[in-house]
Amino acid sequence: MKSIMIRLETIEDVKDFVSIMVQFNGYFDLASGRYVVDAKSVMGIFSMDLSKALVLRILETNERIDDILTALKSFIVEE
């Protein structure tokens, strides 16, 4: 499992993020505290507090992690 911090600040960010995530096969979660949702679920993401950074957890995938991180580079934050 790999975890990275991301920030989704607008509705467009959420739409763009989900459209990227659905391109990859595997299991991905977004977490904020103890609350966890599927990273491919627009409705799940909108139920989260987007005022702070979220943890993207790459749980299981056959994709290259570097490819996923490159696709998500505009959302990744250092915290």
Side-chain angles (χ1 to χ4, degrees):
M1 179 177 83
K2 175 143 179 85
S3 297
I4 55 171
M5 298 298 290
I6 65 161
R7 186 170 296 278
L8 303 172
E9 297 178 333
T10 67
I11 292 170
E12 286 302 313
D13 284 349
V14 173
K15 290 180 189 177
D16 293 343
F17 174 81
V18 171
S19 70
I20 291 169
M21 293 308 298
V22 297
Q23 296 174 21
F24 295 105
N25 292 319
Y27 298 99
F28 309 93
D29 285 342
L30 278 178
S32 178
R34 293 189 295 167
Y35 193 66
V36 178
V37 300
D38 182 347
K40 296 180 181 182
S41 169
V42 171
M43 292 304 289
I45 294 170
F46 280 130
S47 70
M48 302 185 86
D49 179 5
L50 300 180
S51 67
K52 51 188 165 185
L54 306 171
V55 179
L56 172 64
R57 298 189 303 205
I58 302 169
L59 303 172
E60 182 181 319
T61 184
N62 293 329
E63 308 284 346
R64 288 183 22 154
I65 300 295
D66 290 342
D67 292 342
I68 296 169
L69 297 179
T70 298
L72 296 173
K73 69 182 173 191
S74 63
F75 303 110
I76 297 173
V77 293
E78 301 295 325
E79 288 194 23

mmCIF file of all heavy atoms in Angstrom, residues 4-51:
data_model
loop_
_atom_site.group_PDB
_atom_site.id
_atom_site.type_symbol
_atom_site.label_atom_id
_atom_site.label_comp_id
_atom_site.label_asym_id
_atom_site.label_seq_id
_atom_site.Cartn_x
_atom_site.Cartn_y
_atom_site.Cartn_z
ATOM 1 N N ILE A 4 -0.520 8.884 -0.316
ATOM 2 C CA ILE A 4 -0.061 10.224 -0.690
ATOM 3 C C ILE A 4 -1.134 11.227 -0.291
ATOM 4 O O ILE A 4 -2.317 10.899 -0.222
ATOM 5 C CB ILE A 4 0.249 10.348 -2.199
ATOM 6 C CG1 ILE A 4 -0.957 9.942 -3.049
ATOM 7 C CG2 ILE A 4 1.464 9.550 -2.587
ATOM 8 C CD1 ILE A 4 -0.793 10.233 -4.513
ATOM 9 N N MET A 5 -0.712 12.443 -0.016
ATOM 10 C CA MET A 5 -1.640 13.515 0.345
ATOM 11 C C MET A 5 -2.068 14.241 -0.931
ATOM 12 O O MET A 5 -1.222 14.569 -1.775
ATOM 13 C CB MET A 5 -0.972 14.507 1.293
ATOM 14 C CG MET A 5 -0.533 13.915 2.611
ATOM 15 S SD MET A 5 -1.884 13.265 3.599
ATOM 16 C CE MET A 5 -2.710 14.767 4.068
ATOM 17 N N ILE A 6 -3.373 14.478 -1.051
ATOM 18 C CA ILE A 6 -3.892 15.221 -2.199
ATOM 19 C C ILE A 6 -4.844 16.298 -1.711
ATOM 20 O O ILE A 6 -5.353 16.243 -0.591
ATOM 21 C CB ILE A 6 -4.612 14.310 -3.219
ATOM 22 C CG1 ILE A 6 -5.861 13.693 -2.603
ATOM 23 C CG2 ILE A 6 -3.696 13.238 -3.763
ATOM 24 C CD1 ILE A 6 -6.829 13.197 -3.631
ATOM 25 N N ARG A 7 -5.077 17.271 -2.569
ATOM 26 C CA ARG A 7 -6.039 18.334 -2.257
ATOM 27 C C ARG A 7 -6.982 18.498 -3.444
ATOM 28 O O ARG A 7 -6.548 18.617 -4.583
ATOM 29 C CB ARG A 7 -5.327 19.644 -1.969
ATOM 30 C CG ARG A 7 -6.288 20.729 -1.511
ATOM 31 C CD ARG A 7 -5.588 21.952 -0.992
ATOM 32 N NE ARG A 7 -4.806 21.727 0.208
ATOM 33 C CZ ARG A 7 -5.294 21.706 1.451
ATOM 34 N NH1 ARG A 7 -6.580 21.851 1.653
ATOM 35 N NH2 ARG A 7 -4.510 21.536 2.483
ATOM 36 N N LEU A 8 -8.274 18.485 -3.138
ATOM 37 C CA LEU A 8 -9.325 18.694 -4.127
ATOM 38 C C LEU A 8 -10.111 19.914 -3.671
ATOM 39 O O LEU A 8 -10.865 19.846 -2.702
ATOM 40 C CB LEU A 8 -10.236 17.467 -4.219
ATOM 41 C CG LEU A 8 -9.534 16.149 -4.559
ATOM 42 C CD1 LEU A 8 -10.503 14.988 -4.427
ATOM 43 C CD2 LEU A 8 -8.939 16.203 -5.946
ATOM 44 N N GLU A 9 -9.917 21.047 -4.347
ATOM 45 C CA GLU A 9 -10.477 22.302 -3.863
ATOM 46 C C GLU A 9 -11.771 22.731 -4.546
ATOM 47 O O GLU A 9 -12.524 23.517 -3.989
ATOM 48 C CB GLU A 9 -9.429 23.404 -3.988
ATOM 49 C CG GLU A 9 -8.213 23.137 -3.125
ATOM 50 C CD GLU A 9 -7.133 24.178 -3.268
ATOM 51 O OE1 GLU A 9 -7.054 24.806 -4.350
ATOM 52 O OE2 GLU A 9 -6.374 24.362 -2.312
ATOM 53 N N THR A 10 -12.022 22.245 -5.746
ATOM 54 C CA THR A 10 -13.211 22.677 -6.484
ATOM 55 C C THR A 10 -13.988 21.473 -7.004
ATOM 56 O O THR A 10 -13.490 20.344 -7.010
ATOM 57 C CB THR A 10 -12.828 23.564 -7.691
ATOM 58 O OG1 THR A 10 -12.122 22.754 -8.642
ATOM 59 C CG2 THR A 10 -11.966 24.751 -7.269
ATOM 60 N N ILE A 11 -15.187 21.750 -7.482
ATOM 61 C CA ILE A 11 -15.997 20.693 -8.099
ATOM 62 C C ILE A 11 -15.263 20.129 -9.307
ATOM 63 O O ILE A 11 -15.252 18.915 -9.530
ATOM 64 C CB ILE A 11 -17.381 21.250 -8.495
ATOM 65 C CG1 ILE A 11 -18.187 21.580 -7.237
ATOM 66 C CG2 ILE A 11 -18.137 20.273 -9.383
ATOM 67 C CD1 ILE A 11 -19.466 22.352 -7.501
ATOM 68 N N GLU A 12 -14.637 21.003 -10.081
ATOM 69 C CA GLU A 12 -13.881 20.553 -11.255
ATOM 70 C C GLU A 12 -12.713 19.658 -10.856
ATOM 71 O O GLU A 12 -12.407 18.688 -11.547
ATOM 72 C CB GLU A 12 -13.380 21.741 -12.077
ATOM 73 C CG GLU A 12 -14.462 22.423 -12.872
ATOM 74 C CD GLU A 12 -15.176 21.488 -13.833
ATOM 75 O OE1 GLU A 12 -14.512 20.734 -14.563
ATOM 76 O OE2 GLU A 12 -16.419 21.513 -13.865
ATOM 77 N N ASP A 13 -12.050 19.984 -9.734
ATOM 78 C CA ASP A 13 -10.960 19.138 -9.239
ATOM 79 C C ASP A 13 -11.463 17.728 -8.958
ATOM 80 O O ASP A 13 -10.816 16.740 -9.316
ATOM 81 C CB ASP A 13 -10.346 19.704 -7.949
ATOM 82 C CG ASP A 13 -9.449 20.897 -8.178
ATOM 83 O OD1 ASP A 13 -9.113 21.199 -9.342
ATOM 84 O OD2 ASP A 13 -9.077 21.539 -7.168
ATOM 85 N N VAL A 14 -12.620 17.635 -8.313
ATOM 86 C CA VAL A 14 -13.184 16.316 -7.982
ATOM 87 C C VAL A 14 -13.505 15.556 -9.260
ATOM 88 O O VAL A 14 -13.155 14.374 -9.399
ATOM 89 C CB VAL A 14 -14.438 16.449 -7.087
ATOM 90 C CG1 VAL A 14 -15.114 15.100 -6.896
ATOM 91 C CG2 VAL A 14 -14.074 17.066 -5.742
ATOM 92 N N LYS A 15 -14.149 16.213 -10.213
ATOM 93 C CA LYS A 15 -14.480 15.554 -11.483
ATOM 94 C C LYS A 15 -13.220 15.095 -12.214
ATOM 95 O O LYS A 15 -13.162 13.967 -12.713
ATOM 96 C CB LYS A 15 -15.268 16.501 -12.386
ATOM 97 C CG LYS A 15 -16.663 16.786 -11.925
ATOM 98 C CD LYS A 15 -17.319 17.739 -12.921
ATOM 99 C CE LYS A 15 -18.629 18.268 -12.453
ATOM 100 N NZ LYS A 15 -19.185 19.242 -13.405
ATOM 101 N N ASP A 16 -12.215 15.965 -12.278
ATOM 102 C CA ASP A 16 -10.966 15.619 -12.959
ATOM 103 C C ASP A 16 -10.252 14.469 -12.252
ATOM 104 O O ASP A 16 -9.736 13.555 -12.890
ATOM 105 C CB ASP A 16 -10.033 16.828 -13.053
ATOM 106 C CG ASP A 16 -10.581 17.916 -13.963
ATOM 107 O OD1 ASP A 16 -11.499 17.636 -14.763
ATOM 108 O OD2 ASP A 16 -10.076 19.059 -13.864
ATOM 109 N N PHE A 17 -10.215 14.513 -10.921
ATOM 110 C CA PHE A 17 -9.570 13.468 -10.136
ATOM 111 C C PHE A 17 -10.227 12.109 -10.400
ATOM 112 O O PHE A 17 -9.549 11.120 -10.679
ATOM 113 C CB PHE A 17 -9.625 13.817 -8.645
ATOM 114 C CG PHE A 17 -9.113 12.741 -7.756
ATOM 115 C CD1 PHE A 17 -7.748 12.577 -7.557
ATOM 116 C CD2 PHE A 17 -9.982 11.876 -7.109
ATOM 117 C CE1 PHE A 17 -7.266 11.563 -6.739
ATOM 118 C CE2 PHE A 17 -9.522 10.869 -6.289
ATOM 119 C CZ PHE A 17 -8.156 10.714 -6.098
ATOM 120 N N VAL A 18 -11.554 12.065 -10.324
ATOM 121 C CA VAL A 18 -12.276 10.800 -10.537
ATOM 122 C C VAL A 18 -12.076 10.302 -11.967
ATOM 123 O O VAL A 18 -11.875 9.103 -12.185
ATOM 124 C CB VAL A 18 -13.768 10.942 -10.186
ATOM 125 C CG1 VAL A 18 -14.558 9.713 -10.617
ATOM 126 C CG2 VAL A 18 -13.935 11.190 -8.692
ATOM 127 N N SER A 19 -12.080 11.195 -12.951
ATOM 128 C CA SER A 19 -11.884 10.762 -14.340
ATOM 129 C C SER A 19 -10.486 10.159 -14.536
ATOM 130 O O SER A 19 -10.318 9.249 -15.348
ATOM 131 C CB SER A 19 -12.139 11.896 -15.323
ATOM 132 O OG SER A 19 -11.140 12.879 -15.248
ATOM 133 N N ILE A 20 -9.523 10.637 -13.780
ATOM 134 C CA ILE A 20 -8.175 10.040 -13.833
ATOM 135 C C ILE A 20 -8.185 8.682 -13.135
ATOM 136 O O ILE A 20 -7.657 7.696 -13.654
ATOM 137 C CB ILE A 20 -7.133 10.975 -13.188
ATOM 138 C CG1 ILE A 20 -6.935 12.213 -14.048
ATOM 139 C CG2 ILE A 20 -5.802 10.243 -12.971
ATOM 140 C CD1 ILE A 20 -6.137 13.316 -13.372
ATOM 141 N N MET A 21 -8.780 8.623 -11.956
ATOM 142 C CA MET A 21 -8.750 7.387 -11.166
ATOM 143 C C MET A 21 -9.442 6.218 -11.862
ATOM 144 O O MET A 21 -8.978 5.088 -11.768
ATOM 145 C CB MET A 21 -9.374 7.616 -9.782
ATOM 146 C CG MET A 21 -8.590 8.554 -8.888
ATOM 147 S SD MET A 21 -6.837 8.138 -8.720
ATOM 148 C CE MET A 21 -6.926 6.528 -7.981
ATOM 149 N N VAL A 22 -10.544 6.479 -12.579
ATOM 150 C CA VAL A 22 -11.259 5.379 -13.230
ATOM 151 C C VAL A 22 -10.467 4.772 -14.386
ATOM 152 O O VAL A 22 -10.787 3.674 -14.836
ATOM 153 C CB VAL A 22 -12.676 5.790 -13.697
ATOM 154 C CG1 VAL A 22 -13.534 6.181 -12.510
ATOM 155 C CG2 VAL A 22 -12.642 6.874 -14.740
ATOM 156 N N GLN A 23 -9.428 5.453 -14.832
ATOM 157 C CA GLN A 23 -8.577 4.916 -15.899
ATOM 158 C C GLN A 23 -7.663 3.801 -15.396
ATOM 159 O O GLN A 23 -7.142 3.020 -16.191
ATOM 160 C CB GLN A 23 -7.711 6.016 -16.502
ATOM 161 C CG GLN A 23 -8.488 7.103 -17.185
ATOM 162 C CD GLN A 23 -7.590 8.234 -17.629
ATOM 163 O OE1 GLN A 23 -6.387 8.072 -17.791
ATOM 164 N NE2 GLN A 23 -8.179 9.400 -17.821
ATOM 165 N N PHE A 24 -7.468 3.742 -14.082
ATOM 166 C CA PHE A 24 -6.546 2.762 -13.503
ATOM 167 C C PHE A 24 -7.315 1.617 -12.863
ATOM 168 O O PHE A 24 -8.302 1.828 -12.164
ATOM 169 C CB PHE A 24 -5.657 3.435 -12.441
ATOM 170 C CG PHE A 24 -4.731 4.469 -13.012
ATOM 171 C CD1 PHE A 24 -4.984 5.822 -12.833
ATOM 172 C CD2 PHE A 24 -3.610 4.099 -13.732
ATOM 173 C CE1 PHE A 24 -4.143 6.783 -13.357
ATOM 174 C CE2 PHE A 24 -2.758 5.047 -14.271
ATOM 175 C CZ PHE A 24 -3.019 6.394 -14.081
ATOM 176 N N ASN A 25 -6.831 0.401 -13.103
ATOM 177 C CA ASN A 25 -7.412 -0.776 -12.464
ATOM 178 C C ASN A 25 -6.834 -0.904 -11.070
ATOM 179 O O ASN A 25 -5.650 -0.671 -10.852
ATOM 180 C CB ASN A 25 -7.078 -2.038 -13.265
ATOM 181 C CG ASN A 25 -7.766 -2.057 -14.605
ATOM 182 O OD1 ASN A 25 -8.928 -1.687 -14.710
ATOM 183 N ND2 ASN A 25 -7.057 -2.467 -15.634
ATOM 184 N N GLY A 26 -7.669 -1.278 -10.138
ATOM 185 C CA GLY A 26 -7.198 -1.481 -8.773
ATOM 186 C C GLY A 26 -8.141 -0.886 -7.753
ATOM 187 O O GLY A 26 -9.240 -0.426 -8.081
ATOM 188 N N TYR A 27 -7.693 -0.897 -6.503
ATOM 189 C CA TYR A 27 -8.478 -0.401 -5.389
ATOM 190 C C TYR A 27 -7.785 0.810 -4.789
ATOM 191 O O TYR A 27 -6.616 0.748 -4.415
ATOM 192 C CB TYR A 27 -8.661 -1.493 -4.327
ATOM 193 C CG TYR A 27 -9.420 -2.678 -4.865
ATOM 194 C CD1 TYR A 27 -8.750 -3.822 -5.279
ATOM 195 C CD2 TYR A 27 -10.807 -2.639 -4.985
ATOM 196 C CE1 TYR A 27 -9.439 -4.908 -5.789
ATOM 197 C CE2 TYR A 27 -11.505 -3.715 -5.507
ATOM 198 C CZ TYR A 27 -10.811 -4.846 -5.895
ATOM 199 O OH TYR A 27 -11.499 -5.909 -6.412
ATOM 200 N N PHE A 28 -8.529 1.913 -4.701
ATOM 201 C CA PHE A 28 -8.000 3.185 -4.221
ATOM 202 C C PHE A 28 -9.012 3.794 -3.254
ATOM 203 O O PHE A 28 -10.189 3.874 -3.574
ATOM 204 C CB PHE A 28 -7.790 4.151 -5.390
ATOM 205 C CG PHE A 28 -7.010 3.567 -6.530
ATOM 206 C CD1 PHE A 28 -7.654 2.965 -7.599
ATOM 207 C CD2 PHE A 28 -5.628 3.614 -6.535
ATOM 208 C CE1 PHE A 28 -6.940 2.421 -8.654
ATOM 209 C CE2 PHE A 28 -4.902 3.078 -7.586
ATOM 210 C CZ PHE A 28 -5.558 2.477 -8.651
ATOM 211 N N ASP A 29 -8.545 4.222 -2.087
ATOM 212 C CA ASP A 29 -9.400 4.865 -1.092
ATOM 213 C C ASP A 29 -8.942 6.291 -0.863
ATOM 214 O O ASP A 29 -7.759 6.604 -1.008
ATOM 215 C CB ASP A 29 -9.307 4.143 0.262
ATOM 216 C CG ASP A 29 -10.049 2.829 0.289
ATOM 217 O OD1 ASP A 29 -10.915 2.600 -0.576
ATOM 218 O OD2 ASP A 29 -9.761 2.025 1.194
ATOM 219 N N LEU A 30 -9.884 7.129 -0.447
ATOM 220 C CA LEU A 30 -9.566 8.462 0.053
ATOM 221 C C LEU A 30 -9.969 8.487 1.520
ATOM 222 O O LEU A 30 -11.074 8.046 1.867
ATOM 223 C CB LEU A 30 -10.347 9.549 -0.691
ATOM 224 C CG LEU A 30 -9.775 10.002 -2.020
ATOM 225 C CD1 LEU A 30 -10.691 11.046 -2.647
ATOM 226 C CD2 LEU A 30 -8.386 10.568 -1.863
ATOM 227 N N ALA A 31 -9.094 8.996 2.367
ATOM 228 C CA ALA A 31 -9.363 9.029 3.798
ATOM 229 C C ALA A 31 -9.188 10.441 4.347
ATOM 230 O O ALA A 31 -8.309 11.180 3.917
ATOM 231 C CB ALA A 31 -8.426 8.075 4.523
ATOM 232 N N SER A 32 -10.038 10.757 5.298
ATOM 233 C CA SER A 32 -9.934 11.992 6.066
ATOM 234 C C SER A 32 -10.275 11.605 7.496
ATOM 235 O O SER A 32 -11.441 11.316 7.797
ATOM 236 C CB SER A 32 -10.911 13.046 5.539
ATOM 237 O OG SER A 32 -10.825 14.219 6.320
ATOM 238 N N GLY A 33 -9.258 11.526 8.335
ATOM 239 C CA GLY A 33 -9.478 11.028 9.693
ATOM 240 C C GLY A 33 -9.883 9.561 9.628
ATOM 241 O O GLY A 33 -9.226 8.760 8.969
ATOM 242 N N ARG A 34 -11.004 9.235 10.254
ATOM 243 C CA ARG A 34 -11.477 7.845 10.237
ATOM 244 C C ARG A 34 -12.477 7.588 9.116
ATOM 245 O O ARG A 34 -12.967 6.479 8.948
ATOM 246 C CB ARG A 34 -12.119 7.492 11.574
ATOM 247 C CG ARG A 34 -11.110 7.468 12.691
ATOM 248 C CD ARG A 34 -11.679 6.919 13.962
ATOM 249 N NE ARG A 34 -12.733 7.793 14.472
ATOM 250 C CZ ARG A 34 -13.580 7.443 15.423
ATOM 251 N NH1 ARG A 34 -13.505 6.251 15.965
ATOM 252 N NH2 ARG A 34 -14.498 8.278 15.829
ATOM 253 N N TYR A 35 -12.788 8.608 8.337
ATOM 254 C CA TYR A 35 -13.765 8.492 7.254
ATOM 255 C C TYR A 35 -13.060 8.080 5.975
ATOM 256 O O TYR A 35 -12.080 8.714 5.574
ATOM 257 C CB TYR A 35 -14.476 9.835 7.083
ATOM 258 C CG TYR A 35 -15.701 9.751 6.217
ATOM 259 C CD1 TYR A 35 -16.817 9.028 6.613
ATOM 260 C CD2 TYR A 35 -15.742 10.395 4.998
ATOM 261 C CE1 TYR A 35 -17.938 8.949 5.817
ATOM 262 C CE2 TYR A 35 -16.863 10.331 4.196
ATOM 263 C CZ TYR A 35 -17.957 9.603 4.609
ATOM 264 O OH TYR A 35 -19.067 9.519 3.810
ATOM 265 N N VAL A 36 -13.540 7.005 5.329
ATOM 266 C CA VAL A 36 -12.894 6.472 4.130
ATOM 267 C C VAL A 36 -13.947 6.250 3.049
ATOM 268 O O VAL A 36 -15.027 5.729 3.327
ATOM 269 C CB VAL A 36 -12.190 5.123 4.437
ATOM 270 C CG1 VAL A 36 -11.551 4.542 3.190
ATOM 271 C CG2 VAL A 36 -11.151 5.302 5.537
ATOM 272 N N VAL A 37 -13.607 6.668 1.801
ATOM 273 C CA VAL A 37 -14.501 6.444 0.664
ATOM 274 C C VAL A 37 -13.692 5.894 -0.511
ATOM 275 O O VAL A 37 -12.468 6.004 -0.551
ATOM 276 C CB VAL A 37 -15.240 7.731 0.211
ATOM 277 C CG1 VAL A 37 -16.094 8.285 1.327
ATOM 278 C CG2 VAL A 37 -14.277 8.774 -0.296
ATOM 279 N N ASP A 38 -14.393 5.326 -1.466
ATOM 280 C CA ASP A 38 -13.783 4.847 -2.707
ATOM 281 C C ASP A 38 -13.311 6.063 -3.503
ATOM 282 O O ASP A 38 -14.079 6.998 -3.735
ATOM 283 C CB ASP A 38 -14.828 4.060 -3.492
ATOM 284 C CG ASP A 38 -14.321 3.465 -4.792
ATOM 285 O OD1 ASP A 38 -13.217 3.843 -5.248
ATOM 286 O OD2 ASP A 38 -15.034 2.632 -5.361
ATOM 287 N N ALA A 39 -12.050 6.063 -3.921
ATOM 288 C CA ALA A 39 -11.479 7.205 -4.645
ATOM 289 C C ALA A 39 -12.055 7.354 -6.052
ATOM 290 O O ALA A 39 -11.794 8.353 -6.711
ATOM 291 C CB ALA A 39 -9.960 7.077 -4.712
ATOM 292 N N LYS A 40 -12.856 6.402 -6.500
ATOM 293 C CA LYS A 40 -13.482 6.489 -7.816
ATOM 294 C C LYS A 40 -14.944 6.930 -7.720
ATOM 295 O O LYS A 40 -15.663 6.928 -8.708
ATOM 296 C CB LYS A 40 -13.406 5.137 -8.528
ATOM 297 C CG LYS A 40 -11.977 4.696 -8.825
ATOM 298 C CD LYS A 40 -11.950 3.351 -9.524
ATOM 299 C CE LYS A 40 -10.531 2.895 -9.794
ATOM 300 N NZ LYS A 40 -10.506 1.613 -10.505
ATOM 301 N N SER A 41 -15.388 7.328 -6.522
ATOM 302 C CA SER A 41 -16.775 7.690 -6.286
ATOM 303 C C SER A 41 -16.934 9.202 -6.113
ATOM 304 O O SER A 41 -16.501 9.770 -5.109
ATOM 305 C CB SER A 41 -17.300 6.990 -5.024
ATOM 306 O OG SER A 41 -18.540 7.523 -4.641
ATOM 307 N N VAL A 42 -17.561 9.844 -7.085
ATOM 308 C CA VAL A 42 -17.802 11.280 -7.003
ATOM 309 C C VAL A 42 -18.659 11.600 -5.774
ATOM 310 O O VAL A 42 -18.336 12.506 -4.997
ATOM 311 C CB VAL A 42 -18.488 11.806 -8.290
ATOM 312 C CG1 VAL A 42 -18.924 13.246 -8.118
ATOM 313 C CG2 VAL A 42 -17.567 11.675 -9.480
ATOM 314 N N MET A 43 -19.731 10.852 -5.577
ATOM 315 C CA MET A 43 -20.621 11.110 -4.444
ATOM 316 C C MET A 43 -19.892 10.893 -3.114
ATOM 317 O O MET A 43 -20.078 11.659 -2.173
ATOM 318 C CB MET A 43 -21.862 10.214 -4.518
ATOM 319 C CG MET A 43 -22.773 10.556 -5.679
ATOM 320 S SD MET A 43 -23.327 12.272 -5.700
ATOM 321 C CE MET A 43 -24.425 12.258 -4.315
ATOM 322 N N GLY A 44 -19.076 9.859 -3.039
ATOM 323 C CA GLY A 44 -18.315 9.616 -1.817
ATOM 324 C C GLY A 44 -17.371 10.757 -1.507
ATOM 325 O O GLY A 44 -17.273 11.211 -0.367
ATOM 326 N N ILE A 45 -16.689 11.264 -2.525
ATOM 327 C CA ILE A 45 -15.736 12.361 -2.325
ATOM 328 C C ILE A 45 -16.466 13.621 -1.887
ATOM 329 O O ILE A 45 -16.014 14.335 -0.988
ATOM 330 C CB ILE A 45 -14.903 12.598 -3.599
ATOM 331 C CG1 ILE A 45 -14.017 11.390 -3.876
ATOM 332 C CG2 ILE A 45 -14.054 13.859 -3.447
ATOM 333 C CD1 ILE A 45 -13.323 11.413 -5.221
ATOM 334 N N PHE A 46 -17.620 13.909 -2.483
ATOM 335 C CA PHE A 46 -18.369 15.101 -2.101
ATOM 336 C C PHE A 46 -18.909 15.018 -0.674
ATOM 337 O O PHE A 46 -19.274 16.029 -0.090
ATOM 338 C CB PHE A 46 -19.504 15.394 -3.076
ATOM 339 C CG PHE A 46 -19.043 16.085 -4.322
ATOM 340 C CD1 PHE A 46 -19.408 15.600 -5.577
ATOM 341 C CD2 PHE A 46 -18.249 17.212 -4.261
ATOM 342 C CE1 PHE A 46 -18.986 16.238 -6.737
ATOM 343 C CE2 PHE A 46 -17.815 17.856 -5.414
ATOM 344 C CZ PHE A 46 -18.192 17.364 -6.649
ATOM 345 N N SER A 47 -18.955 13.830 -0.095
ATOM 346 C CA SER A 47 -19.416 13.696 1.287
ATOM 347 C C SER A 47 -18.291 13.979 2.285
ATOM 348 O O SER A 47 -18.523 14.010 3.485
ATOM 349 C CB SER A 47 -19.988 12.292 1.524
ATOM 350 O OG SER A 47 -18.951 11.325 1.513
ATOM 351 N N MET A 48 -17.081 14.202 1.790
ATOM 352 C CA MET A 48 -15.921 14.444 2.655
ATOM 353 C C MET A 48 -15.690 15.940 2.851
ATOM 354 O O MET A 48 -16.181 16.764 2.092
ATOM 355 C CB MET A 48 -14.671 13.800 2.056
ATOM 356 C CG MET A 48 -14.809 12.313 1.841
ATOM 357 S SD MET A 48 -13.294 11.563 1.285
ATOM 358 C CE MET A 48 -12.524 11.277 2.871
ATOM 359 N N ASP A 49 -14.908 16.260 3.867
ATOM 360 C CA ASP A 49 -14.507 17.641 4.130
ATOM 361 C C ASP A 49 -13.353 17.988 3.190
ATOM 362 O O ASP A 49 -12.225 17.553 3.402
ATOM 363 C CB ASP A 49 -14.079 17.798 5.589
ATOM 364 C CG ASP A 49 -13.638 19.206 5.930
ATOM 365 O OD1 ASP A 49 -13.747 20.101 5.067
ATOM 366 O OD2 ASP A 49 -13.191 19.406 7.073
ATOM 367 N N LEU A 50 -13.644 18.759 2.145
ATOM 368 C CA LEU A 50 -12.626 19.076 1.141
ATOM 369 C C LEU A 50 -11.816 20.325 1.499
ATOM 370 O O LEU A 50 -10.981 20.762 0.711
ATOM 371 C CB LEU A 50 -13.285 19.248 -0.234
ATOM 372 C CG LEU A 50 -14.026 18.026 -0.755
ATOM 373 C CD1 LEU A 50 -14.640 18.321 -2.119
ATOM 374 C CD2 LEU A 50 -13.118 16.814 -0.835
ATOM 375 N N SER A 51 -12.036 20.869 2.693
ATOM 376 C CA SER A 51 -11.278 22.046 3.099
ATOM 377 C C SER A 51 -9.860 21.693 3.545
ATOM 378 O O SER A 51 -9.025 22.572 3.714
ATOM 379 C CB SER A 51 -11.999 22.791 4.222
ATOM 380 O OG SER A 51 -12.013 22.006 5.399
#
